[in-house]
Amino acid sequence: MAGLELLSDQGYRLDGRKATELRKFQARMGVFAQADGSAYLEQGNTKALAVVYGPHEVRGARSRIRHDRAVINCQYSMATFSTAERKRRPHGDRKSTEMSLHLKQTFEAAVMTQLYPRSQIDIYVKILQSDGGNYSVCVNAATLAVIDAGIPMRDYVCACTVGFVDETPLADLCYAEEGGGVSSLALALLPRGGQIALLQMDARLHQDHLEALIEAAMTACKGVSKVLDQVVRQHLQEASVPSAE
Amino acid sequence: MATVQVSEAEKVYILHGIRDDLRVDGRGCEDYRHMEIETDVVSNTDGSAKVTLGDTAVLVGVKADIGKPRPMVPNEGYVEFFVDCSANATPEFEGRGGEELGTELSNTLYKVFNNKHSVDLKSLCISAGEHCWVLYVDVLLLQCDGNLYDAISVAIKAALFNTKIPRVHISADEEGGKEIELSDDPYDCVRLNVENVPCIVTLCKVGHRHVVDATLQEKACSVASLIISVTHKGTITCTRKVGGGSLDLESIFEMTEAGKRVGKALHAPLMKLLQQEESLGKARQKVGFLG
């Protein structure tokens, strides 16, 4: 991508944002009536739909039952029309399986599973349009969906993908930035306690820069948590109006 | 399909209601539920549409790619269907659970569109025998509350109406081969003529009568259904009987007539709505899932 600067001299990125700015956030909870909890989230051009079923009895393998906690089952899949090049299989490939495992790990840290022994919580996330930061948008959408389902969590789980370019951390990467040779790091955070639920990076980065990058990611996640909180409160206000009348 | 458990008493109640032309939610036997259609929902595609029919939600994306035409018909493009029954609809569709239903739905779609008139395939040809447009129609099933075929067919018609295929120019390059150039202007595109795209009507036989747009409860009370795809002129392109029960000849004729009537009546308001939405142009507020 010759000629496209990821960070210009004035400090503007490809889409006009500053280094620490997040993309436009639009969310809605309770999108589907049939599921126990559902949420739709748009971060810039990345659109994700998360649906939660549960807690319910463990389906399938009886060996998966845990006597002291609920089992969390996640599936990440992408719509075949979500990427610029059409995807042949929505899920089942290695990348989707890995993402599903990451989501499972993230939510096992946050959901209070000890309250529901011998049961299963299903979290299904679908990416409708992919423009970078897929994992983070999925985690944020899934958080809203779990809250919509009424399943208790320790804290909001907020995620953000950050990259390092020209000695500056960039928050909330889009697709062009992710592919442009940026070392990207995905972080899922429980903001109140500052606990990190998942940290993933598979790029080269100098050790000295790591702390700055993680700090930037945590700040971005705290920003995301404020927005998620606002969305949840607004949803509750809208939902409680009819009963007030 | 997502199944519901219906007790014997409920079945009798539904049966008696339908006998008197009164369904559980107050509709008549040939009435559709509230339908919401929105096009241009996903910007990554060349055309898209989202249809909500009662609680059934379907999202269709159309992508146009340049490919090689089929050897038997070198001067035509073709359409590929793929139905993804996502786990969103029900946990039973997780992993490979939704593949069976997805394959059944896409096979039926191939049969419905397997004729010369539904989509003008000759207009998809770029250069005979070498290049043609391939339309990949991807259907994503988000919520399942009965009557999938109808919702999917309306969504496909709306998505094809919304599809904008970029205009191409063929020029000869230095070695004598053909070079395809896409026009630089993103608004310079070809639209498809969807007048003849059929709509599918599913009629379920409940008791002695048939109902259009059955909910899951009504489906559980029916023994067999008939799927008919009807064009705006009333021509039938495909008929299929599904379900474990059997239908007698009289019922099939009756249901076919009703299906033709209902299907024909569906096209005019749909086209009017799509044209109205199109005429709003840039002033249209995109709602998608946010509204």
Side-chain angles (χ1 to χ4, degrees):
Chain A
M1 278 214 272
L4 273 172
E5 295 182 303
L6 292 170
L7 190 65
S8 75
D9 299 323
Q10 291 86 29
Y12 289 108
R13 292 152 75 170
L14 285 173
D15 47 9
R17 286 183 285 154
K18 289 276 199 182
T20 53
E21 242 180 277
L22 298 172
R23 287 179 287 185
K24 182 173 177 191
F25 219 93
Q26 281 177 291
R28 181 153 167 258
M29 293 166 64
V31 182
F32 294 132
Q34 279 192 338
D36 291 324
S38 57
Y40 171 76
L41 178 62
E42 275 185 34
Q43 245 181 277
N45 276 333
T46 305
K47 301 182 176 155
L49 200 54
V51 163
V52 170
Y53 284 96
H56 55 78
E57 202 181 330
V58 176
R59 285 177 304 109
R62 311 290 298 173
S63 58
R64 288 205 296 180
I65 299 182
R66 305 281 296 270
H67 67 278
D68 59 344
R69 63 181 67 192
V71 171
I72 296 192
N73 176 35
C74 293
Q75 186 182 267
Y76 166 89
S77 76
M78 298 176 73
T80 42
F81 45 74
S82 59
T83 47
E85 284 282 317
R86 182 174 174 262
K87 252 184 96 96
R88 300 190 116 258
R89 291 180 69 192
H91 54 261
D93 55 308
R94 273 208 298 260
K95 185 95 198 296
S96 304
T97 323
E98 190 193 3
M99 283 281 216
S100 311
L101 283 173
H102 286 166
L103 283 171
K104 183 179 151 85
Q105 182 188 333
T106 313
F107 281 93
E108 269 174 358
V111 173
M112 302 180 81
T113 46
Q114 323 83 281
L115 295 175
Y116 303 106
R118 292 175 219 280
S119 49
Q120 179 177 329
I121 299 174
D122 294 317
I123 303 178
Y124 301 123
V125 193
K126 191 96 187 166
I127 296 264
L128 298 178
Q129 203 173 301
S130 164
D131 187 34
N134 286 350
Y135 168 75
S136 329
V137 180
C138 280
V139 168
N140 296 334
T143 303
L144 289 177
V146 170
I147 294 176
D148 189 44
I151 298 175
M153 290 209 287
R154 289 191 185 84
D155 196 356
Y156 289 106
V157 190
C158 311
C160 193
T161 317
V162 292
F164 203 78
V165 163
D166 288 346
E167 315 284 313
T168 326
L170 299 181
D172 201 6
L173 300 178
C174 65
Y175 185 73
E177 289 167 341
E178 269 181 359
V182 173
S183 328
S184 69
L185 178 138
L187 183 94
L189 183 79
L190 279 74
R192 264 189 296 181
Q195 307 275 323
I196 296 178
L198 186 123
L199 177 70
Q200 194 207 320
M201 182 173 89
D202 33 32
R204 283 173 53 174
L205 184 74
H206 197 282
Q207 204 178 331
D208 296 343
H209 302 311
L210 186 63
E211 201 176 319
L213 196 58
I214 295 184
E215 281 295 324
M218 289 176 75
T219 317
C221 286
K222 292 202 170 106
V224 171
S225 78
K226 287 202 189 71
V227 186
L228 289 180
D229 190 47
Q230 215 174 21
V231 169
V232 172
R233 280 175 204 279
Q234 191 180 10
H235 174 74
L236 286 175
Q237 229 175 11
E238 284 171 11
S240 64
V241 161
S243 57
E245 283 164 11
Chain B
M1 215 162 306
T3 44
V4 281
Q5 312 276 28
V6 182
S7 70
E8 284 303 318
E10 273 183 285
K11 275 190 191 165
V12 170
Y13 178 70
I14 292 175
L15 228 79
H16 286 177
I18 289 176
R19 196 180 55 193
D20 299 329
D21 198 21
L22 193 64
R23 293 155 81 170
V24 173
D25 47 10
R27 288 184 283 157
C29 283
E30 295 189 357
D31 292 336
Y32 273 94
R33 284 171 288 184
H34 177 70
M35 203 187 296
E36 280 182 19
I37 306 169
E38 191 183 347
T39 58
D40 210 16
V41 192
V42 180
S43 44
N44 239 347
T45 55
D46 294 310
S48 58
K50 169 178 167 271
V51 168
T52 327
L53 179 60
D55 260 345
T56 304
V58 166
L59 181 60
V60 172
V62 179
K63 270 177 137 52
D65 259 339
I66 298 184
K68 216 165 147 53
R70 297 213 163 110
M72 303 284 279
V73 273
N75 56 347
E76 282 181 6
Y78 56 97
V79 185
E80 292 265 346
F81 291 99
F82 177 72
V83 179
D84 178 15
C85 296
S86 72
N88 280 24
T90 158
E92 288 154 17
F93 289 160
E94 190 190 338
R96 305 192 68 162
E99 256 179 51
E100 205 184 294
L101 180 61
T103 325
E104 193 192 318
L105 288 167
S106 55
N107 283 344
T108 311
L109 288 173
Y110 275 116
K111 288 202 174 77
V112 166
F113 283 83
N114 187 21
N115 60 75
K116 287 196 286 267
H117 306 288
S118 301
V119 177
D120 187 11
L121 296 175
K122 291 206 164 56
S123 67
L124 297 177
C125 179
I126 302 175
S127 59
E130 285 172 16
H131 302 286
C132 70
W133 283 111
V134 182
L135 291 179
Y136 289 103
V137 178
D138 296 313
V139 180
L140 178 60
L141 195 60
L142 291 169
Q143 241 196 145
C144 207
D145 191 27
N147 207 19
L148 296 175
Y149 284 103
D150 299 34
I152 290 176
S153 67
V154 170
I156 291 181
K157 185 159 178 152
L160 287 174
F161 177 81
N162 181 240
T163 305
K164 299 180 170 68
I165 303 179
R167 226 177 270 275
V168 284
H169 305 281
I170 310 179
S171 52
D173 65 9
E174 302 85 54
E175 289 109 39
K178 296 227 178 89
E179 201 172 285
I180 298 185
E181 279 167 29
L182 255 66
S183 123
D184 281 331
D185 181 5
Y187 293 108
D188 182 19
C189 45
V190 174
R191 302 295 290 271
L192 289 171
N193 181 5
V194 295
E195 282 290 320
N196 286 322
V197 171
C199 273
I200 301 178
V201 180
T202 311
L203 296 121
C204 289
K205 184 115 165 74
V206 181
H208 290 289
R209 298 197 60 163
H210 51 264
V211 289
V212 169
D213 191 16
T215 59
L216 283 177
Q217 280 88 354
E218 289 163 347
K219 193 99 203 293
C221 304
S222 85
V223 292
S225 324
L226 199 65
I227 296 172
I228 304 175
S229 66
V230 191
T231 63
H232 71 115
K233 290 203 184 91
T235 328
I236 297 181
T237 70
C238 172
T239 311
R240 269 185 91 184
K241 178 216 157 273
V242 290
S246 46
L247 295 170
D248 58 287
L249 201 56
E250 277 299 316
S251 315
I252 294 189
F253 281 141
E254 219 178 274
M255 284 158 85
T256 312
E257 287 306 309
K260 264 176 32 181
R261 205 176 347 130
V262 173
K264 208 167 154 185
L266 191 54
H267 285 272
L270 177 61
M271 285 309 289
K272 202 170 87 163
L273 191 72
L274 289 174
Q275 269 144 7
Q276 216 174 10
E277 193 193 27
E278 173 93 10
S279 66
L280 290 174
K282 293 235 181 340
R284 174 162 83 96
Q285 276 213 323
K286 294 221 174 135
V287 174
F289 290 93
L290 290 168

